[in-house]
Amino acid sequence: QVQLQQWGAGLLKPSETLSLTCAVYGGSFSGYYWSWIRQPPGKGLEWIGEINHSGSTNYNPSLKSRVTISVDTSKNQFSLKLSSVTAADTAVYYCARARVVVVPAAIGGGSVYYMDVWGKGTTVTVSS
Amino acid sequence: SSELTQDPAVSVALGQTVRITCQGDSLRSYYASWYQQKPGQAPVLVIYGKNNRPSGIPDRFSGSSSGNTASLTITGAQAEDEADYYCNSRDSSGNLVVFGGGTKLTVL
């Protein structure tokens, strides 16, 4: 059973860099997208970005200029860095495993994207 | 468009059936996935693809889709189903990921 364990600093000052790491236990690292999602207090889920095992990344355009996601396949870990944080970056940050499955045309076609394993979340507060 | 739209809140009487919907252009290319989130907990995948339930998810949860709209149906809602529900897919380009704004389900 795959588990994700995440850690990182929970209290930051404005302008500092948020840094979180997520370790993958019990499963393969390849064939998946490894994602970061955040949830501000009382609000919905916001996708931050993703990386695959070969290091290819996609980022939310609204955060792209400040986000770096990296992977260390030797340790089965991936990491998030978010620079120049402000109070608006205060949120619970989750890591998650995701995959895309292409449905054969014979049974309807289309594609399926889902996040099937989630970390427990890390609360990050930005305050002076 | 890269947005998914959900009703903010829905209520259902205990034991009755409720449908939660999600609309967006990306759903013409990608099936929606659905997540349940209870207070203080991480989201849990409940439905993905045409109508697939991960192991451990009760069969009262089901999914469907038509055009740009996906639906999550709970048949015989239980008190423990009270939670926030989010839909999710990749956007139409396939390069980005989008979430709906979430639907707060109240079981009366």
Side-chain angles (χ1 to χ4, degrees):
Chain A
Q1 184 178 357
V2 177
Q3 293 185 337
L4 303 183
Q5 183 175 351
Q6 58 180 107
W7 66 89
L11 181 61
L12 297 172
K13 289 181 168 52
S15 81
E16 292 184 334
T17 295
L18 178 157
S19 182
L20 299 174
T21 298
C22 184
V24 181
Y25 296 104
S28 171
F29 208 71
S30 63
Y32 297 96
Y33 291 96
W34 302 96
S35 303
W36 289 98
I37 304 99
R38 71 180 184 179
Q39 186 171 37
K43 296 188 177 181
L45 301 171
E46 179 182 31
W47 177 72
I48 299 170
E50 65 187 7
I51 191 166
N52 65 13
H53 70 281
S54 62
S56 176
T57 56
N58 291 303
Y59 298 131
N60 186 325
S62 69
L63 299 169
K64 186 173 184 176
S65 63
R66 297 193 291 131
V67 173
T68 301
I69 296 176
S70 58
V71 65
D72 185 340
T73 53
S74 68
K75 295 182 179 179
N76 272 18
Q77 294 177 0
F78 62 107
S79 298
L80 167 70
K81 290 190 185 301
L82 179 67
S83 64
S84 304
V85 298
T86 69
D89 296 310
T90 293
V92 177
Y93 286 74
Y94 295 100
C95 59
R97 185 182 80 169
R99 61 183 305 190
V100 173
V101 176
V102 177
V103 179
I107 54 172
S111 299
V112 182
Y113 172 83
Y114 58 97
M115 298 175 171
D116 61 343
V117 183
W118 292 67
K120 293 185 177 181
T122 300
T123 299
V124 176
T125 302
V126 181
S127 175
S128 55
Chain B
S1 170
S2 60
E3 295 180 350
L4 295 177
T5 301
Q6 298 182 239
D7 290 330
V10 172
S11 62
V12 62
L14 184 68
Q16 296 303 301
T17 296
V18 63
R19 177 176 292 181
I20 299 170
T21 61
C22 174
Q23 286 189 308
D25 288 343
S26 63
L27 300 183
R28 297 185 186 279
S29 303
Y30 285 87
Y31 288 98
S33 54
W34 291 93
Y35 306 84
Q36 177 192 69
Q37 186 181 35
K38 296 181 179 179
Q41 298 183 18
V44 173
L45 178 68
V46 293
I47 290 288
Y48 64 99
K50 201 167 188 178
N51 183 17
N52 300 295
R53 283 177 288 107
S55 174
I57 301 302
D59 61 5
R60 63 179 178 271
F61 289 88
S62 63
S64 62
S65 65
S66 178
N68 73 336
T69 302
S71 300
L72 171 70
T73 300
I74 307 174
T75 304
Q78 302 299 303
E80 60 263 34
D81 300 334
E82 187 163 288
D84 294 326
Y85 290 85
Y86 295 90
C87 61
N88 162 247
S89 79
R90 296 190 80 83
D91 77 340
S92 300
S93 75
N95 293 325
L96 305 177
V97 175
V98 290
F99 282 98
T103 297
K104 182 176 183 60
L105 175 66
T106 300
V107 180
L108 304 172

